[in-house]
Amino acid sequence: MMRQNDNITVMQKRDDQEMITLLLAFEEGDATAFSKLYDLNVNLLFSYGCKLTTDRELLKDCIHDVFVKMYTKKEELKHVENFKSYLFISLRNRLCDEVRKRLYVSDAKVEELNPVSCEDVENNYLEREREHVNNKLVKHLLAQLSPRQREALILYYIEERKYEDICQIMNMNYQSVRNLMHRGLSKLKTIAG
């Protein structure tokens, strides 16, 4: 039986594969593929951009600028390894350029534009990426354990159950649960090296 996280991972892989297929088709000159790439990513970029600025019109213009640049310089996409990261970084850079330009041209106050620090956004993105990688690593490590070891460790560390609760749930005595957890943790340390 698949869990919700497994379904999400399968959907992400399918979406990533679709993105790669569309990107390759676009690089070969397929305008329909470009349109689909736009449709698949415009809302994601808008949501991300709302964390960078409260100026919705500026944000929409910058998103369109990112796609126009992508369309006119599609040969540069051959060097892109992570397309979504490319879009996020392009949008952030475009917004920063526009904010700087507006500040320079109009001498407007920074508060009027409501920018959010680009460093904060980049750090948040990198933190989410680290969490994603760590979650995958934890899942991989837990998969190396026996089902009973995995259950005991999940109950204790993730669900924050007390040993007494774990004993009842797993229908085991206290010392057996302690031994099971100790063997599980020892195995994880060995695997993680």
Side-chain angles (χ1 to χ4, degrees):
M1 186 165 112
M2 288 185 95
R3 294 184 178 157
Q4 184 177 1
N5 288 344
D6 294 337
N7 287 336
I8 291 170
T9 302
V10 169
M11 289 172 37
Q12 286 173 338
K13 286 181 181 177
R14 191 173 42 227
D15 289 347
D16 290 346
Q17 188 58 47
E18 180 183 12
M19 200 77 67
I20 291 168
T21 303
L22 289 170
L23 198 52
L24 291 172
F26 168 61
E27 289 172 7
E28 296 295 319
D30 184 350
T32 306
F34 176 77
S35 179
K36 287 181 182 176
L37 283 169
Y38 178 86
D39 291 340
L40 285 172
N41 292 288
V42 69
N43 290 333
L44 183 66
L45 286 176
F46 187 80
S47 176
Y48 170 71
C50 286
K51 294 178 175 97
L52 302 174
T53 184
T54 57
D55 187 338
R56 301 289 194 251
E57 293 307 311
L58 171 66
L59 176 57
K60 289 176 189 175
D61 289 344
C62 289
I63 291 171
H64 288 112
D65 290 347
V66 166
F67 280 99
V68 167
K69 179 184 176 197
M70 189 176 98
Y71 190 84
T72 58
K73 297 188 176 192
K74 64 182 164 192
E75 65 278 354
E76 292 178 6
L77 295 176
K78 290 181 169 101
H79 306 292
V80 172
E81 290 182 28
N82 186 326
F83 183 66
K84 285 186 179 178
S85 291
Y86 167 81
L87 289 175
F88 287 139
I89 292 167
S90 296
L91 178 59
R92 186 195 70 224
N93 290 342
R94 187 72 192 105
L95 281 167
C96 287
D97 289 346
E98 278 299 311
V99 168
R100 273 193 292 274
K101 185 169 39 169
R102 286 182 178 193
L103 288 173
Y104 178 75
V105 171
S106 66
D107 289 330
K109 293 181 180 175
V110 174
E111 297 85 38
E112 292 173 13
L113 297 174
N114 295 322
V116 176
S117 167
C118 291
E119 277 184 26
D120 290 343
V121 172
E122 187 173 356
N123 289 337
N124 289 341
Y125 177 75
L126 291 173
E127 184 60 33
R128 283 193 308 273
E129 284 294 309
R130 273 193 288 283
E131 282 180 28
H132 178 70
V133 168
N134 287 339
N135 287 340
K136 285 177 76 172
L137 177 62
V138 168
K139 285 179 184 177
H140 171 73
L141 290 173
L142 286 174
Q144 308 301 311
L145 300 175
S146 72
R148 301 283 285 174
Q149 289 171 336
R150 185 172 40 252
E151 182 181 6
L153 290 173
I154 288 172
L155 286 170
Y156 187 78
Y157 287 105
I158 296 175
E159 295 186 17
E160 299 179 350
R161 300 291 185 114
K162 296 191 179 330
Y163 277 106
E164 294 78 20
D165 295 338
I166 298 170
C167 292
Q168 282 186 326
I169 293 168
M170 296 184 72
N171 195 26
M172 295 173 71
N173 69 41
Y174 184 84
Q175 190 58 47
S176 296
V177 169
R178 296 285 301 210
N179 292 344
L180 187 64
M181 290 189 58
H182 176 73
R183 285 192 304 273
L185 288 172
S186 295
K187 189 172 183 179
L188 285 176
K189 287 178 186 175
T190 303
I191 295 168

